[in-house]
Amino acid sequence: MYVFVTGGTGTIGSAVVAELLGHGHTVLALARSDGSAQAIKDAGAEPLRGGLGDLDILRAGAAQADGVISLAFGRDYSSAEALAASIAEESAAMSALGQELTGSGKPIVTVSGTPWVAGRTSTEADQVPTDGPVGERGRSQIALLELASRGVRASAVRMPRTVHNQGQGGFAGLLTDAARRTGVAGYPGDGAQRWPAVHALDAAVLFRLALESAPAGTAWHAVADEGDAVRDIATVIGRRLGLPVQSVPEETFGPFGAIFAMDQPSSSTYTREALSWEPTHPGLLADLENLQP
Ligand SMILES: NC(=O)c1ccc[n+]([C@@H]2O[C@H](COP(=O)([O-])OP(=O)(O)OC[C@H]3O[C@@H](n4cnc5c(N)ncnc54)[C@H](OP(=O)(O)O)[C@@H]3O)[C@@H](O)[C@H]2O)c1
């Protein structure tokens, strides 16, 4: 398949590009800078110059491809305004990609997050949240999946809170960033709340499987660890960085503070069975041992 990928230089996207190329697909990848274009070429893919806000370029990329994987998302999580701007940009981009594919029967795989359900482990059958700080993101995912009824083989691969590689990435990566910034490996509350996780190389396999075979309108969970206690995550970070480990106020983590405080385990039982996906790479706590002071 000739696949158009956005976010192909990110933690997850670079693994997805390598996974696609390793399984006989060819890749056209959005690149917003010379550095990103070079990284795409070095990976063995073809860059398409443009940013996520260049909707005509996105449409052109989708039109010439056999399928699309949408992963690009702004990296500025420092304020509620910055997060909202990234969500709005992604929402407009997905809408343009979806319109372009309408009636084509082509696949588009988008990235989403595992939902949280009070008092139990979430599953693929649960809906993503449509309120709170990332509610708009949930609504645009749902709108994309609804294109199933308009001739688009749209599916969503839901990411756990932490997608990691070499101990970096995701919510655990934000805990590490905060620890380096503040000198304390902190966690909100009592740290007993659990976050699910997956290695980026395992997540990449699931994106390929969804692209190749997921039925229209379906959602999948790229979950390897159902839930690691946040205190355990902070404990490894503190030991690796030589910093004290302790509870800190939610506000330490900016707009994500409230989400960081929640218990949100998630399962991938259905995904493993239906798509024959089996994670093989290290879990989060083992991978965090790769952190360097
Ligand atoms: N990592 C996780 O734990 C996790 C968990 C849940 C959900 N997700 C979601 O999964 C997706 C990928 O995550 P990631 O960790 O791989 O992200 P990442 O490492 O931050 O990479 C972001 C990617 O998006 C691109 N990008 C951002 N803004 C762009 C713009 N305006 N125009 C063009 N490209 C743009 C970046 O390009 P440059 O290289 O040029 O900057 C990069 O390729 C995101 O949607 C993220 O929200 C991730």
Side-chain angles (χ1 to χ4, degrees):
M1 229 184 258
Y2 185 47
V3 189
F4 178 46
V5 177
T6 75
T9 49
T11 305
I12 302 171
S14 55
V16 168
V17 169
E19 173 71 19
L20 293 171
L21 295 173
H23 285 78
H25 299 292
T26 49
V27 174
L28 174 70
L30 189 70
R32 60 171 162 173
S33 68
D34 290 344
S36 293
Q38 191 58 50
I40 296 292
K41 281 188 208 157
D42 292 346
E46 180 191 346
L48 176 65
R49 284 304 300 263
L52 203 53
D54 298 322
L55 301 184
D56 287 343
I57 291 173
L58 296 182
R59 288 190 196 98
Q64 61 191 285
D66 303 311
V68 176
I69 297 181
S70 162
L71 284 159
F73 192 77
R75 280 200 185 93
D76 184 357
Y77 303 126
S78 62
S79 68
E81 292 73 26
L83 181 61
S86 294
I87 291 173
E89 183 179 56
E90 181 200 48
S91 199
M94 289 214 305
S95 169
L97 290 168
Q99 275 166 12
E100 186 60 42
L101 297 180
T102 297
S104 70
K106 293 179 189 174
I108 177 167
V109 186
T110 185
V111 65
S112 179
T114 53
W116 57 90
V117 181
R120 69 166 169 84
T121 299
S122 75
T123 75
E124 294 85 344
D126 292 310
Q127 192 59 275
V128 289
T130 53
D131 52 13
V134 294
E136 173 60 28
R137 214 176 173 190
R139 288 194 289 279
S140 76
Q141 304 290 335
I142 290 166
L144 190 83
L145 293 186
E146 284 172 356
L147 291 179
S149 63
R150 297 175 58 202
V152 183
R153 187 160 66 79
S155 63
V157 177
R158 295 173 175 173
M159 293 295 121
R161 298 298 160 261
T162 300
V163 184
H164 53 94
N165 198 347
Q166 292 297 308
Q168 309 202 15
F171 275 21
L174 296 177
L175 284 189
T176 306
D177 293 346
R180 291 190 195 279
R181 202 173 56 243
T182 63
V184 170
Y187 52 84
D190 65 5
Q193 70 272 34
R194 294 159 295 167
W195 297 346
V198 71
H199 196 289
L201 298 177
D202 287 319
V205 175
L206 187 54
F207 275 97
R208 176 179 60 77
L209 294 173
L211 179 84
E212 291 172 348
S213 64
T218 52
W220 305 94
H221 279 195
V223 172
D225 303 2
E226 284 202 359
D228 300 307
V230 178
R231 193 177 45 232
D232 294 343
I233 297 171
T235 297
V236 183
I237 293 170
R239 180 164 45 70
R240 294 299 306 169
L241 302 187
L243 296 173
V245 180
Q246 64 190 55
S247 178
V248 296
E250 275 177 36
E251 299 72 52
T252 311
F253 307 106
F256 282 117
I259 301 176
F260 273 28
M262 292 165 58
D263 186 43
Q264 41 201 309
S266 188
S267 110
S268 56
T269 304
Y270 175 70
T271 298
R272 291 176 195 234
E273 285 171 11
L275 292 184
S276 299
W277 175 71
E278 198 53 52
T280 59
H281 291 88
L284 174 61
L285 298 181
D287 199 20
L288 285 171
E289 298 291 348
N290 287 306
L291 285 180
Q292 299 300 326

